[in-house]
Amino acid sequence: MDEILRIEDLRVAYHERDRAVRAVNGVSLSLHRGETLAIVGESGCGKTTAALSILNLISEPGRIESGRVIFEGRDLLTLPGPELRGVRGRRISMIFQDPVSGLNPVMPIGTQVAEIVRAHLDVSAREAKQAALDALSRQGLAEAERVAASLPYQLSGGMCQRVMIAIATLLRPSIIIADEPTSALDVTVQAAVLRELDELKSTLGASIILITHDLGIVAQMADRVAVMYAGRIVERGATADIFARPRHPYTAALLAARPRIDAPDRPLEQIAGAPPDLSQLSAECAFVPRCRKALSVCRNEPSPALREIEPAHDAACYNPMYQPGD
């Protein structure tokens, strides 16, 4: 598959007084045309920070310290402001985690949707308004004119999420970044939003980066998965391979903690301990204090780099769950 986006050794830190929180610590990923890549992990592992970095949306006290984000042959982290604004929203768009706070609370919905049209296209106000109404209608929002005249607080969370999807897809971007697109939504609306994302992938030919902690959504939507822990990618590969044969102990622990419809009486396992303080990371693997398979090498050597355990399946572990040929 053709590569459309490549992240190389991305490092992002939040500086607070005398400490630096290493939110993203050497992440490298690729995204192919027409695929859905899921980035999963516990809260605070760096998923959202990595996603925001793609469009250089990290604000103080955060700072992108190094790395490259290559899109269509250009490094987005070094683009001048006007050129980067031409990419944001038009070529790469983002559906933010909280749809209500992602919208301007004092601006009518229709104005906010039309704004992206006028920011990127040379059209009249009337044409932009009509494009906004069409986009809202495509998202299944009945009475699009009423919705367009409403303020965000007058809409439900599910309606605001559809508005965000309308904004993100209006200009038919090549990449859609969806950050927890179903959080705080009831299951019926969740299902509808996921169907819409899947339809957008097929109709627009877009690639999707899906940020989530819900492994059920990953199994349903993603072609490939990258598992993050403490700012690093600890495993990546095809979704089917990772669910069937997780290599990193953290991935295996996440999968063991999910409820299963085929084993309703099975007690859920928990991952002992808590994620590390990202301002006090040591050189060893950050998962060692919680790992049931840790060896002496895990405590005495630097954190392992990602390596290929089997074709197109990488893990950063000295003692992976399965060995090649198992």
Side-chain angles (χ1 to χ4, degrees):
M1 299 174 67
D2 292 338
E3 184 180 79
I4 188 171
L5 181 77
R6 184 172 71 257
I7 301 172
E8 299 176 350
D9 197 28
L10 180 66
R11 298 176 187 271
V12 183
Y14 291 88
H15 295 267
E16 300 175 348
R17 297 180 183 176
D18 59 345
R19 68 174 192 152
V21 177
R22 306 289 172 188
V24 177
N25 196 8
V27 164
S28 295
L29 284 172
S30 63
L31 178 69
H32 302 132
R33 293 186 187 276
E35 81 164 346
T36 297
L37 170 68
I39 304 178
V40 304
E42 292 170 281
S43 296
C45 71
K47 306 186 299 295
T48 295
T49 298
L52 291 172
S53 299
I54 293 171
L55 289 171
N56 207 348
L57 292 174
I58 302 297
S59 56
E60 291 293 338
R63 186 183 311 154
I64 298 175
E65 298 190 327
S66 64
R68 301 202 303 164
V69 178
I70 308 300
F71 173 66
E72 296 182 338
R74 299 182 295 174
D75 183 359
L76 299 183
L77 302 185
T78 61
L79 281 187
E83 289 186 45
L84 184 58
R85 285 191 291 273
V87 173
R88 292 173 178 160
R90 183 164 193 180
R91 306 292 292 126
I92 303 176
S93 63
M94 187 163 184
I95 302 169
F96 293 94
Q97 183 171 353
D98 184 349
V100 177
S101 63
L103 295 168
N104 188 321
V106 297
M107 183 182 292
I109 293 295
T111 303
Q112 297 188 57
V113 180
E115 187 176 52
I116 191 171
V117 181
R118 301 205 71 184
H120 292 283
L121 303 178
D122 184 16
V123 298
S124 67
R126 177 176 295 181
E127 290 170 321
K129 178 181 177 180
Q130 186 58 53
L133 292 174
D134 292 343
L136 293 172
S137 296
R138 283 196 299 273
Q139 293 307 313
L141 290 164
E143 302 180 20
E145 292 203 9
R146 181 186 64 80
V147 172
S150 301
L151 296 174
Y153 79 89
Q154 296 173 310
L155 304 180
S156 68
M159 294 175 75
C160 286
Q161 189 64 283
R162 290 171 190 260
V163 171
M164 293 294 289
I165 294 174
I167 292 173
T169 60
L170 182 54
L171 298 178
R172 302 177 69 86
S174 299
I175 299 174
I176 300 170
I177 303 170
D179 185 9
E180 299 280 7
T182 60
S183 63
L185 302 179
D186 63 60
V187 292
T188 303
V189 178
Q190 282 185 22
V193 168
L194 292 177
R195 282 197 304 271
E196 286 161 11
L197 287 175
D198 203 40
E199 289 173 5
L200 290 169
K201 178 181 169 182
S202 59
T203 57
L204 299 182
S207 303
I208 296 176
I209 297 177
L210 178 63
I211 313 297
T212 184
H213 62 272
D214 190 326
L215 294 176
I217 292 175
V218 173
Q220 177 184 344
M221 298 283 295
D223 301 299
R224 290 191 302 129
V225 182
V227 182
M228 283 192 74
Y229 186 77
R232 295 178 180 269
I233 302 294
V234 297
E235 186 166 2
R236 64 188 177 202
T239 303
D241 292 340
I242 285 182
F243 273 68
R245 293 164 66 81
R247 300 303 196 176
H248 197 281
Y250 177 61
T251 308
L254 287 178
L255 291 169
R258 64 187 172 129
R260 295 180 59 119
I261 195 170
D262 59 346
D265 298 326
R266 181 179 67 89
L268 298 181
E269 297 186 27
Q270 62 178 351
I271 307 175
D277 183 342
L278 297 183
S279 67
Q280 298 181 9
L281 292 174
S282 63
E284 70 179 19
C285 173
F287 191 59
V288 163
R290 310 173 74 187
C291 184
R292 298 178 181 178
K293 289 178 62 62
L295 303 174
S296 59
V297 65
C298 304
R299 297 180 174 87
N300 297 323
E301 296 294 330
S303 183
L306 277 169
R307 63 186 179 93
E308 189 173 73
I309 304 296
E310 59 185 1
H313 191 163
D314 306 328
C317 186
Y318 288 118
N319 187 24
M321 297 297 293
Y322 304 97
Q323 299 298 329
D326 287 354

